[in-house]
Amino acid sequence: QNHIQGWRSVRALGRLLRVNPRSTILDLGCGLGGPARLLAFLFGCRVDGIELSDARCRDGRILTGITGLDRLVKINRGDFWRATVPVGKYDILIGQSAWIHIDRKQEFVERWIPALRSTGRIAVEDAYLKRPPCNRKENRWVEQLSAGWCAHFSTLEEWKNALEPSTFDILVQRDLSRSLIAHFSALLRTRSEERRVGKECRSRW
């Protein structure tokens, strides 16, 4: 689990969402499918994942087969902007460390809302800016991190504006900044990681 707080983050999100064996979840930007498999394993729910990368889809399906969860978890290759949106199929739309790669967040949310049932919920765990950059130096930092992470950083207010006009109420909001700092600090202390990922990746951490 390469998310802040690792598997604990996925479990916490599942509990907040009251996931149960009857839940159907669509993981948009599922990567290798780690959160999808963990949710299925812990809560017995069904999870469909959409991932752009062919390699990640292939490896994700292999891992799903190895874990024996292919009855509950399906990983499909797709582009968020071109994939067919199945109407009223899911209880939950979820994104973990994935939606930061999307620039038009409100348009993205509105495109996928029809996939939810009338009581549907959205859960997103991702990085955001606590405030807009206020000088040239901060702008440069954000630009460098955006390039390194292939990210489109938004403020928390911009995230809210992407959801609330679409008739969603924000019920839970948690700041995991301390966990993020602890996570990357631990990675930076691990010498084996330096050899594995290289200096450029560590600079992004």
Side-chain angles (χ1 to χ4, degrees):
Q1 300 294 334
N2 63 345
H3 305 287
I4 308 308
Q5 298 182 318
W7 63 270
R8 292 174 181 83
S9 173
V10 183
R11 182 183 64 182
L13 213 52
R15 288 174 173 173
L16 279 172
L17 290 162
R18 302 185 301 279
V19 175
N20 61 65
R22 296 184 302 279
S23 300
T24 55
I25 300 174
L26 179 59
D27 186 345
L28 293 168
C30 66
L32 294 170
R37 285 187 294 275
L38 187 57
L39 288 169
F41 175 74
L42 291 175
F43 302 101
C45 58
R46 300 184 66 87
V47 188
D48 291 341
I50 296 179
E51 169 58 38
L52 183 61
S53 164
D54 279 323
R56 287 192 164 201
C57 282
R58 182 190 65 241
D59 294 346
R61 288 167 184 155
I62 291 170
L63 289 167
T64 302
I66 289 171
T67 55
L69 290 166
D70 39 6
R71 182 178 59 85
L72 294 174
V73 177
K74 305 295 180 189
I75 297 176
N76 303 295
R77 189 194 174 281
D79 183 326
F80 294 151
W81 300 108
R82 295 188 176 92
T84 301
V85 178
V87 177
K89 184 177 180 181
Y90 298 99
D91 300 304
I92 298 165
L93 296 182
I94 195 170
Q96 281 195 281
S97 302
W99 296 4
I100 197 171
H101 303 299
I102 298 161
D103 56 348
R104 307 188 309 275
K105 290 181 173 60
Q106 184 171 339
E107 187 179 338
F108 163 75
V109 169
E110 289 175 352
R111 185 176 196 275
W112 284 96
I113 283 173
L116 287 171
R117 298 190 173 105
S118 59
T119 55
R121 288 153 286 160
I122 294 176
V124 56
E125 172 265 301
D126 226 319
Y128 65 90
L129 299 177
K130 286 197 169 185
R131 57 170 174 77
C134 64
N135 55 49
R136 190 176 298 176
K137 186 177 182 180
E138 289 186 353
N139 271 306
R140 188 169 66 250
W141 283 344
V142 173
E143 288 169 5
Q144 289 172 346
L145 192 59
S146 298
W149 284 16
C150 299
H152 298 277
F153 284 102
S154 299
T155 63
L156 185 58
E157 202 60 35
E158 288 167 331
W159 273 108
K160 289 180 177 179
N161 289 339
L163 292 166
E164 288 175 331
S166 306
T167 70
F168 283 92
D169 295 319
I170 297 174
L171 302 179
V172 178
Q173 173 189 316
R174 292 188 177 173
D175 184 345
L176 303 177
S177 299
R178 289 184 179 180
S179 298
L180 180 144
I181 292 167
H183 174 79
F184 285 115
S185 297
L187 288 176
L188 288 168
R189 287 194 299 269
T190 307
R191 288 293 175 184
S192 60
E193 287 290 325
E194 183 172 8
R195 291 192 296 272
R196 184 174 68 84
V197 303
K199 289 183 179 179
E200 185 179 346
C201 190
R202 285 176 64 84
S203 73
R204 296 196 291 269
W205 297 345

PDB file of all heavy atoms in Angstrom, residues 111-141:
ATOM      1  N   ARG A 111     -18.972  14.072 -14.262  1.00  0.00           N
ATOM      2  CA  ARG A 111     -19.053  13.015 -15.280  1.00  0.00           C
ATOM      3  C   ARG A 111     -19.374  11.661 -14.658  1.00  0.00           C
ATOM      4  O   ARG A 111     -20.095  10.851 -15.235  1.00  0.00           O
ATOM      5  CB  ARG A 111     -17.729  12.928 -16.049  1.00  0.00           C
ATOM      6  CG  ARG A 111     -17.784  11.923 -17.202  1.00  0.00           C
ATOM      7  CD  ARG A 111     -16.504  11.900 -18.016  1.00  0.00           C
ATOM      8  NE  ARG A 111     -16.733  11.247 -19.286  1.00  0.00           N
ATOM      9  CZ  ARG A 111     -16.680   9.919 -19.468  1.00  0.00           C
ATOM     10  NH1 ARG A 111     -16.352   9.135 -18.451  1.00  0.00           N
ATOM     11  NH2 ARG A 111     -16.939   9.389 -20.652  1.00  0.00           N
ATOM     12  N   TRP A 112     -18.848  11.406 -13.438  1.00  0.00           N
ATOM     13  CA  TRP A 112     -18.991  10.084 -12.835  1.00  0.00           C
ATOM     14  C   TRP A 112     -20.132   9.964 -11.840  1.00  0.00           C
ATOM     15  O   TRP A 112     -20.468   8.868 -11.395  1.00  0.00           O
ATOM     16  CB  TRP A 112     -17.665   9.665 -12.192  1.00  0.00           C
ATOM     17  CG  TRP A 112     -16.680   9.249 -13.238  1.00  0.00           C
ATOM     18  CD1 TRP A 112     -15.699  10.011 -13.807  1.00  0.00           C
ATOM     19  CD2 TRP A 112     -16.631   7.977 -13.894  1.00  0.00           C
ATOM     20  NE1 TRP A 112     -15.024   9.282 -14.768  1.00  0.00           N
ATOM     21  CE2 TRP A 112     -15.573   8.036 -14.845  1.00  0.00           C
ATOM     22  CE3 TRP A 112     -17.360   6.796 -13.776  1.00  0.00           C
ATOM     23  CZ2 TRP A 112     -15.248   6.962 -15.663  1.00  0.00           C
ATOM     24  CZ3 TRP A 112     -17.039   5.723 -14.589  1.00  0.00           C
ATOM     25  CH2 TRP A 112     -15.990   5.811 -15.511  1.00  0.00           C
ATOM     26  N   ILE A 113     -20.770  11.089 -11.485  1.00  0.00           N
ATOM     27  CA  ILE A 113     -21.906  11.024 -10.564  1.00  0.00           C
ATOM     28  C   ILE A 113     -22.996  10.052 -11.025  1.00  0.00           C
ATOM     29  O   ILE A 113     -23.567   9.320 -10.198  1.00  0.00           O
ATOM     30  CB  ILE A 113     -22.489  12.432 -10.337  1.00  0.00           C
ATOM     31  CG1 ILE A 113     -21.597  13.211  -9.389  1.00  0.00           C
ATOM     32  CG2 ILE A 113     -23.908  12.365  -9.770  1.00  0.00           C
ATOM     33  CD1 ILE A 113     -22.001  14.659  -9.235  1.00  0.00           C
ATOM     34  N   PRO A 114     -23.335   9.995 -12.319  1.00  0.00           N
ATOM     35  CA  PRO A 114     -24.393   9.077 -12.740  1.00  0.00           C
ATOM     36  C   PRO A 114     -24.115   7.607 -12.421  1.00  0.00           C
ATOM     37  O   PRO A 114     -25.047   6.797 -12.402  1.00  0.00           O
ATOM     38  CB  PRO A 114     -24.466   9.297 -14.256  1.00  0.00           C
ATOM     39  CG  PRO A 114     -23.980  10.702 -14.451  1.00  0.00           C
ATOM     40  CD  PRO A 114     -22.900  10.871 -13.443  1.00  0.00           C
ATOM     41  N   ALA A 115     -22.857   7.258 -12.155  1.00  0.00           N
ATOM     42  CA  ALA A 115     -22.544   5.865 -11.808  1.00  0.00           C
ATOM     43  C   ALA A 115     -23.066   5.487 -10.431  1.00  0.00           C
ATOM     44  O   ALA A 115     -23.190   4.298 -10.113  1.00  0.00           O
ATOM     45  CB  ALA A 115     -21.035   5.638 -11.865  1.00  0.00           C
ATOM     46  N   LEU A 116     -23.405   6.503  -9.613  1.00  0.00           N
ATOM     47  CA  LEU A 116     -23.860   6.247  -8.249  1.00  0.00           C
ATOM     48  C   LEU A 116     -25.366   6.019  -8.168  1.00  0.00           C
ATOM     49  O   LEU A 116     -26.138   6.590  -8.927  1.00  0.00           O
ATOM     50  CB  LEU A 116     -23.510   7.430  -7.350  1.00  0.00           C
ATOM     51  CG  LEU A 116     -22.040   7.606  -6.965  1.00  0.00           C
ATOM     52  CD1 LEU A 116     -21.846   8.942  -6.266  1.00  0.00           C
ATOM     53  CD2 LEU A 116     -21.570   6.458  -6.076  1.00  0.00           C
ATOM     54  N   ARG A 117     -25.756   5.212  -7.196  1.00  0.00           N
ATOM     55  CA  ARG A 117     -27.163   5.111  -6.841  1.00  0.00           C
ATOM     56  C   ARG A 117     -27.588   6.386  -6.106  1.00  0.00           C
ATOM     57  O   ARG A 117     -26.758   7.204  -5.738  1.00  0.00           O
ATOM     58  CB  ARG A 117     -27.382   3.876  -5.962  1.00  0.00           C
ATOM     59  CG  ARG A 117     -27.016   2.582  -6.684  1.00  0.00           C
ATOM     60  CD  ARG A 117     -27.451   1.352  -5.909  1.00  0.00           C
ATOM     61  NE  ARG A 117     -27.219   0.154  -6.714  1.00  0.00           N
ATOM     62  CZ  ARG A 117     -26.226  -0.710  -6.495  1.00  0.00           C
ATOM     63  NH1 ARG A 117     -25.386  -0.515  -5.495  1.00  0.00           N
ATOM     64  NH2 ARG A 117     -26.085  -1.769  -7.278  1.00  0.00           N
ATOM     65  N   SER A 118     -28.878   6.520  -5.845  1.00  0.00           N
ATOM     66  CA  SER A 118     -29.397   7.774  -5.274  1.00  0.00           C
ATOM     67  C   SER A 118     -28.817   8.072  -3.892  1.00  0.00           C
ATOM     68  O   SER A 118     -28.749   9.229  -3.478  1.00  0.00           O
ATOM     69  CB  SER A 118     -30.921   7.713  -5.193  1.00  0.00           C
ATOM     70  OG  SER A 118     -31.331   6.613  -4.398  1.00  0.00           O
ATOM     71  N   THR A 119     -28.417   7.035  -3.167  1.00  0.00           N
ATOM     72  CA  THR A 119     -27.826   7.242  -1.832  1.00  0.00           C
ATOM     73  C   THR A 119     -26.304   7.155  -1.879  1.00  0.00           C
ATOM     74  O   THR A 119     -25.651   6.942  -0.854  1.00  0.00           O
ATOM     75  CB  THR A 119     -28.353   6.179  -0.849  1.00  0.00           C
ATOM     76  OG1 THR A 119     -28.082   4.870  -1.397  1.00  0.00           O
ATOM     77  CG2 THR A 119     -29.843   6.328  -0.624  1.00  0.00           C
ATOM     78  N   GLY A 120     -25.727   7.315  -3.058  1.00  0.00           N
ATOM     79  CA  GLY A 120     -24.295   7.109  -3.250  1.00  0.00           C
ATOM     80  C   GLY A 120     -23.421   8.115  -2.521  1.00  0.00           C
ATOM     81  O   GLY A 120     -23.845   9.220  -2.177  1.00  0.00           O
ATOM     82  N   ARG A 121     -22.169   7.694  -2.302  1.00  0.00           N
ATOM     83  CA  ARG A 121     -21.195   8.518  -1.598  1.00  0.00           C
ATOM     84  C   ARG A 121     -19.888   8.567  -2.382  1.00  0.00           C
ATOM     85  O   ARG A 121     -19.597   7.669  -3.178  1.00  0.00           O
ATOM     86  CB  ARG A 121     -20.927   7.938  -0.209  1.00  0.00           C
ATOM     87  CG  ARG A 121     -22.062   8.117   0.772  1.00  0.00           C
ATOM     88  CD  ARG A 121     -22.062   7.024   1.825  1.00  0.00           C
ATOM     89  NE  ARG A 121     -22.533   5.762   1.258  1.00  0.00           N
ATOM     90  CZ  ARG A 121     -22.292   4.564   1.796  1.00  0.00           C
ATOM     91  NH1 ARG A 121     -21.563   4.465   2.878  1.00  0.00           N
ATOM     92  NH2 ARG A 121     -22.770   3.483   1.232  1.00  0.00           N
ATOM     93  N   ILE A 122     -19.116   9.601  -2.126  1.00  0.00           N
ATOM     94  CA  ILE A 122     -17.798   9.758  -2.735  1.00  0.00           C
ATOM     95  C   ILE A 122     -16.773   9.872  -1.619  1.00  0.00           C
ATOM     96  O   ILE A 122     -16.999  10.576  -0.629  1.00  0.00           O
ATOM     97  CB  ILE A 122     -17.738  11.017  -3.619  1.00  0.00           C
ATOM     98  CG1 ILE A 122     -18.655  10.870  -4.829  1.00  0.00           C
ATOM     99  CG2 ILE A 122     -16.302  11.288  -4.088  1.00  0.00           C
ATOM    100  CD1 ILE A 122     -18.727  12.112  -5.710  1.00  0.00           C
ATOM    101  N   ALA A 123     -15.652   9.179  -1.772  1.00  0.00           N
ATOM    102  CA  ALA A 123     -14.561   9.290  -0.803  1.00  0.00           C
ATOM    103  C   ALA A 123     -13.261   9.508  -1.561  1.00  0.00           C
ATOM    104  O   ALA A 123     -12.950   8.777  -2.499  1.00  0.00           O
ATOM    105  CB  ALA A 123     -14.473   8.026   0.045  1.00  0.00           C
ATOM    106  N   VAL A 124     -12.519  10.532  -1.142  1.00  0.00           N
ATOM    107  CA  VAL A 124     -11.249  10.816  -1.796  1.00  0.00           C
ATOM    108  C   VAL A 124     -10.188  11.095  -0.737  1.00  0.00           C
ATOM    109  O   VAL A 124     -10.436  11.810   0.231  1.00  0.00           O
ATOM    110  CB  VAL A 124     -11.372  11.991  -2.796  1.00  0.00           C
ATOM    111  CG1 VAL A 124     -11.907  13.237  -2.119  1.00  0.00           C
ATOM    112  CG2 VAL A 124     -10.036  12.298  -3.453  1.00  0.00           C
ATOM    113  N   GLU A 125      -9.047  10.465  -0.896  1.00  0.00           N
ATOM    114  CA  GLU A 125      -7.880  10.728  -0.033  1.00  0.00           C
ATOM    115  C   GLU A 125      -6.768  11.165  -0.956  1.00  0.00           C
ATOM    116  O   GLU A 125      -6.345  10.407  -1.822  1.00  0.00           O
ATOM    117  CB  GLU A 125      -7.499   9.472   0.754  1.00  0.00           C
ATOM    118  CG  GLU A 125      -6.197   9.590   1.535  1.00  0.00           C
ATOM    119  CD  GLU A 125      -5.006   9.032   0.772  1.00  0.00           C
ATOM    120  OE1 GLU A 125      -5.015   7.846   0.420  1.00  0.00           O
ATOM    121  OE2 GLU A 125      -4.058   9.818   0.517  1.00  0.00           O
ATOM    122  N   ASP A 126      -6.324  12.422  -0.798  1.00  0.00           N
ATOM    123  CA  ASP A 126      -5.313  12.927  -1.714  1.00  0.00           C
ATOM    124  C   ASP A 126      -4.635  14.153  -1.136  1.00  0.00           C
ATOM    125  O   ASP A 126      -5.074  14.713  -0.133  1.00  0.00           O
ATOM    126  CB  ASP A 126      -5.934  13.270  -3.077  1.00  0.00           C
ATOM    127  CG  ASP A 126      -5.096  12.737  -4.222  1.00  0.00           C
ATOM    128  OD1 ASP A 126      -3.853  12.831  -4.118  1.00  0.00           O
ATOM    129  OD2 ASP A 126      -5.667  12.226  -5.194  1.00  0.00           O
ATOM    130  N   ALA A 127      -3.568  14.575  -1.796  1.00  0.00           N
ATOM    131  CA  ALA A 127      -2.844  15.769  -1.375  1.00  0.00           C
ATOM    132  C   ALA A 127      -3.544  17.015  -1.896  1.00  0.00           C
ATOM    133  O   ALA A 127      -4.152  17.000  -2.965  1.00  0.00           O
ATOM    134  CB  ALA A 127      -1.411  15.721  -1.902  1.00  0.00           C
ATOM    135  N   TYR A 128      -3.467  18.076  -1.118  1.00  0.00           N
ATOM    136  CA  TYR A 128      -4.039  19.357  -1.547  1.00  0.00           C
ATOM    137  C   TYR A 128      -3.187  20.479  -0.952  1.00  0.00           C
ATOM    138  O   TYR A 128      -2.378  20.258  -0.041  1.00  0.00           O
ATOM    139  CB  TYR A 128      -5.494  19.490  -1.109  1.00  0.00           C
ATOM    140  CG  TYR A 128      -5.704  19.538   0.396  1.00  0.00           C
ATOM    141  CD1 TYR A 128      -5.697  20.751   1.073  1.00  0.00           C
ATOM    142  CD2 TYR A 128      -5.905  18.369   1.130  1.00  0.00           C
ATOM    143  CE1 TYR A 128      -5.883  20.805   2.448  1.00  0.00           C
ATOM    144  CE2 TYR A 128      -6.078  18.411   2.504  1.00  0.00           C
ATOM    145  CZ  TYR A 128      -6.069  19.630   3.152  1.00  0.00           C
ATOM    146  OH  TYR A 128      -6.249  19.670   4.518  1.00  0.00           O
ATOM    147  N   LEU A 129      -3.367  21.681  -1.465  1.00  0.00           N
ATOM    148  CA  LEU A 129      -2.681  22.853  -0.931  1.00  0.00           C
ATOM    149  C   LEU A 129      -3.508  23.456   0.200  1.00  0.00           C
ATOM    150  O   LEU A 129      -4.705  23.668   0.044  1.00  0.00           O
ATOM    151  CB  LEU A 129      -2.499  23.906  -2.030  1.00  0.00           C
ATOM    152  CG  LEU A 129      -1.666  23.501  -3.251  1.00  0.00           C
ATOM    153  CD1 LEU A 129      -1.658  24.636  -4.262  1.00  0.00           C
ATOM    154  CD2 LEU A 129      -0.246  23.141  -2.851  1.00  0.00           C
ATOM    155  N   LYS A 130      -2.873  23.727   1.327  1.00  0.00           N
ATOM    156  CA  LYS A 130      -3.607  24.371   2.422  1.00  0.00           C
ATOM    157  C   LYS A 130      -3.995  25.804   2.072  1.00  0.00           C
ATOM    158  O   LYS A 130      -4.960  26.347   2.609  1.00  0.00           O
ATOM    159  CB  LYS A 130      -2.765  24.351   3.699  1.00  0.00           C
ATOM    160  CG  LYS A 130      -2.703  22.969   4.331  1.00  0.00           C
ATOM    161  CD  LYS A 130      -2.244  23.062   5.759  1.00  0.00           C
ATOM    162  CE  LYS A 130      -2.436  21.725   6.466  1.00  0.00           C
ATOM    163  NZ  LYS A 130      -2.109  21.805   7.898  1.00  0.00           N
ATOM    164  N   ARG A 131      -3.222  26.418   1.174  1.00  0.00           N
ATOM    165  CA  ARG A 131      -3.524  27.766   0.698  1.00  0.00           C
ATOM    166  C   ARG A 131      -2.800  27.949  -0.630  1.00  0.00           C
ATOM    167  O   ARG A 131      -1.843  27.232  -0.932  1.00  0.00           O
ATOM    168  CB  ARG A 131      -3.062  28.824   1.703  1.00  0.00           C
ATOM    169  CG  ARG A 131      -1.577  28.747   2.021  1.00  0.00           C
ATOM    170  CD  ARG A 131      -1.100  29.935   2.812  1.00  0.00           C
ATOM    171  NE  ARG A 131       0.286  29.792   3.227  1.00  0.00           N
ATOM    172  CZ  ARG A 131       1.334  29.973   2.421  1.00  0.00           C
ATOM    173  NH1 ARG A 131       1.148  30.282   1.150  1.00  0.00           N
ATOM    174  NH2 ARG A 131       2.559  29.825   2.880  1.00  0.00           N
ATOM    175  N   PRO A 132      -3.217  28.901  -1.438  1.00  0.00           N
ATOM    176  CA  PRO A 132      -2.516  29.155  -2.696  1.00  0.00           C
ATOM    177  C   PRO A 132      -1.099  29.666  -2.422  1.00  0.00           C
ATOM    178  O   PRO A 132      -0.850  30.305  -1.394  1.00  0.00           O
ATOM    179  CB  PRO A 132      -3.359  30.238  -3.378  1.00  0.00           C
ATOM    180  CG  PRO A 132      -4.682  30.197  -2.687  1.00  0.00           C
ATOM    181  CD  PRO A 132      -4.404  29.749  -1.285  1.00  0.00           C
ATOM    182  N   PRO A 133      -0.153  29.411  -3.321  1.00  0.00           N
ATOM    183  CA  PRO A 133       1.194  29.983  -3.168  1.00  0.00           C
ATOM    184  C   PRO A 133       1.102  31.509  -3.143  1.00  0.00           C
ATOM    185  O   PRO A 133       0.293  32.101  -3.855  1.00  0.00           O
ATOM    186  CB  PRO A 133       1.931  29.503  -4.421  1.00  0.00           C
ATOM    187  CG  PRO A 133       1.127  28.363  -4.949  1.00  0.00           C
ATOM    188  CD  PRO A 133      -0.283  28.596  -4.540  1.00  0.00           C
ATOM    189  N   CYS A 134       1.932  32.161  -2.312  1.00  0.00           N
ATOM    190  CA  CYS A 134       1.813  33.610  -2.153  1.00  0.00           C
ATOM    191  C   CYS A 134       3.026  34.385  -2.644  1.00  0.00           C
ATOM    192  O   CYS A 134       3.055  35.613  -2.534  1.00  0.00           O
ATOM    193  CB  CYS A 134       1.513  33.959  -0.700  1.00  0.00           C
ATOM    194  SG  CYS A 134       2.822  33.511   0.441  1.00  0.00           S
ATOM    195  N   ASN A 135       4.024  33.686  -3.191  1.00  0.00           N
ATOM    196  CA  ASN A 135       5.169  34.407  -3.747  1.00  0.00           C
ATOM    197  C   ASN A 135       5.847  33.533  -4.806  1.00  0.00           C
ATOM    198  O   ASN A 135       5.451  32.376  -5.028  1.00  0.00           O
ATOM    199  CB  ASN A 135       6.165  34.818  -2.653  1.00  0.00           C
ATOM    200  CG  ASN A 135       6.632  33.624  -1.826  1.00  0.00           C
ATOM    201  OD1 ASN A 135       7.028  32.596  -2.370  1.00  0.00           O
ATOM    202  ND2 ASN A 135       6.579  33.775  -0.508  1.00  0.00           N
ATOM    203  N   ARG A 136       6.840  34.094  -5.460  1.00  0.00           N
ATOM    204  CA  ARG A 136       7.501  33.404  -6.569  1.00  0.00           C
ATOM    205  C   ARG A 136       8.176  32.108  -6.115  1.00  0.00           C
ATOM    206  O   ARG A 136       8.132  31.103  -6.819  1.00  0.00           O
ATOM    207  CB  ARG A 136       8.536  34.344  -7.201  1.00  0.00           C
ATOM    208  CG  ARG A 136       9.116  33.833  -8.504  1.00  0.00           C
ATOM    209  CD  ARG A 136      10.045  34.864  -9.120  1.00  0.00           C
ATOM    210  NE  ARG A 136       9.332  36.090  -9.433  1.00  0.00           N
ATOM    211  CZ  ARG A 136       9.917  37.186  -9.901  1.00  0.00           C
ATOM    212  NH1 ARG A 136      11.228  37.219 -10.089  1.00  0.00           N
ATOM    213  NH2 ARG A 136       9.191  38.269 -10.178  1.00  0.00           N
ATOM    214  N   LYS A 137       8.781  32.151  -4.948  1.00  0.00           N
ATOM    215  CA  LYS A 137       9.465  30.964  -4.427  1.00  0.00           C
ATOM    216  C   LYS A 137       8.481  29.823  -4.189  1.00  0.00           C
ATOM    217  O   LYS A 137       8.740  28.677  -4.573  1.00  0.00           O
ATOM    218  CB  LYS A 137      10.178  31.317  -3.128  1.00  0.00           C
ATOM    219  CG  LYS A 137      11.044  30.202  -2.556  1.00  0.00           C
ATOM    220  CD  LYS A 137      11.774  30.686  -1.308  1.00  0.00           C
ATOM    221  CE  LYS A 137      12.683  29.605  -0.755  1.00  0.00           C
ATOM    222  NZ  LYS A 137      13.392  30.085   0.467  1.00  0.00           N
ATOM    223  N   GLU A 138       7.336  30.106  -3.569  1.00  0.00           N
ATOM    224  CA  GLU A 138       6.328  29.063  -3.320  1.00  0.00           C
ATOM    225  C   GLU A 138       5.734  28.560  -4.625  1.00  0.00           C
ATOM    226  O   GLU A 138       5.471  27.358  -4.763  1.00  0.00           O
ATOM    227  CB  GLU A 138       5.234  29.615  -2.398  1.00  0.00           C
ATOM    228  CG  GLU A 138       5.712  29.810  -0.973  1.00  0.00           C
ATOM    229  CD  GLU A 138       4.582  30.209  -0.029  1.00  0.00           C
ATOM    230  OE1 GLU A 138       3.460  30.465  -0.528  1.00  0.00           O
ATOM    231  OE2 GLU A 138       4.827  30.256   1.189  1.00  0.00           O
ATOM    232  N   ASN A 139       5.509  29.453  -5.586  1.00  0.00           N
ATOM    233  CA  ASN A 139       5.023  29.017  -6.895  1.00  0.00           C
ATOM    234  C   ASN A 139       5.995  28.039  -7.541  1.00  0.00           C
ATOM    235  O   ASN A 139       5.576  27.044  -8.136  1.00  0.00           O
ATOM    236  CB  ASN A 139       4.812  30.223  -7.817  1.00  0.00           C
ATOM    237  CG  ASN A 139       3.418  30.804  -7.694  1.00  0.00           C
ATOM    238  OD1 ASN A 139       2.416  30.103  -7.844  1.00  0.00           O
ATOM    239  ND2 ASN A 139       3.338  32.087  -7.400  1.00  0.00           N
ATOM    240  N   ARG A 140       7.277  28.316  -7.417  1.00  0.00           N
ATOM    241  CA  ARG A 140       8.286  27.432  -8.002  1.00  0.00           C
ATOM    242  C   ARG A 140       8.271  26.064  -7.327  1.00  0.00           C
ATOM    243  O   ARG A 140       8.378  25.038  -7.989  1.00  0.00           O
ATOM    244  CB  ARG A 140       9.676  28.079  -7.896  1.00  0.00           C
ATOM    245  CG  ARG A 140      10.754  27.314  -8.665  1.00  0.00           C
ATOM    246  CD  ARG A 140      12.040  28.096  -8.784  1.00  0.00           C
ATOM    247  NE  ARG A 140      12.672  28.297  -7.477  1.00  0.00           N
ATOM    248  CZ  ARG A 140      12.753  29.465  -6.843  1.00  0.00           C
ATOM    249  NH1 ARG A 140      12.230  30.556  -7.397  1.00  0.00           N
ATOM    250  NH2 ARG A 140      13.341  29.562  -5.658  1.00  0.00           N
ATOM    251  N   TRP A 141       8.127  26.060  -5.991  1.00  0.00           N
ATOM    252  CA  TRP A 141       8.039  24.782  -5.274  1.00  0.00           C
ATOM    253  C   TRP A 141       6.863  23.942  -5.774  1.00  0.00           C
ATOM    254  O   TRP A 141       6.986  22.748  -6.026  1.00  0.00           O
ATOM    255  CB  TRP A 141       7.871  25.033  -3.777  1.00  0.00           C
ATOM    256  CG  TRP A 141       9.119  25.430  -3.065  1.00  0.00           C
ATOM    257  CD1 TRP A 141      10.412  25.313  -3.514  1.00  0.00           C
ATOM    258  CD2 TRP A 141       9.202  26.005  -1.756  1.00  0.00           C
ATOM    259  NE1 TRP A 141      11.283  25.791  -2.580  1.00  0.00           N
ATOM    260  CE2 TRP A 141      10.567  26.218  -1.480  1.00  0.00           C
ATOM    261  CE3 TRP A 141       8.258  26.367  -0.813  1.00  0.00           C
ATOM    262  CZ2 TRP A 141      11.015  26.773  -0.286  1.00  0.00           C
ATOM    263  CZ3 TRP A 141       8.695  26.912   0.383  1.00  0.00           C
ATOM    264  CH2 TRP A 141      10.057  27.123   0.646  1.00  0.00           C
TER     265      TRP A 141
END
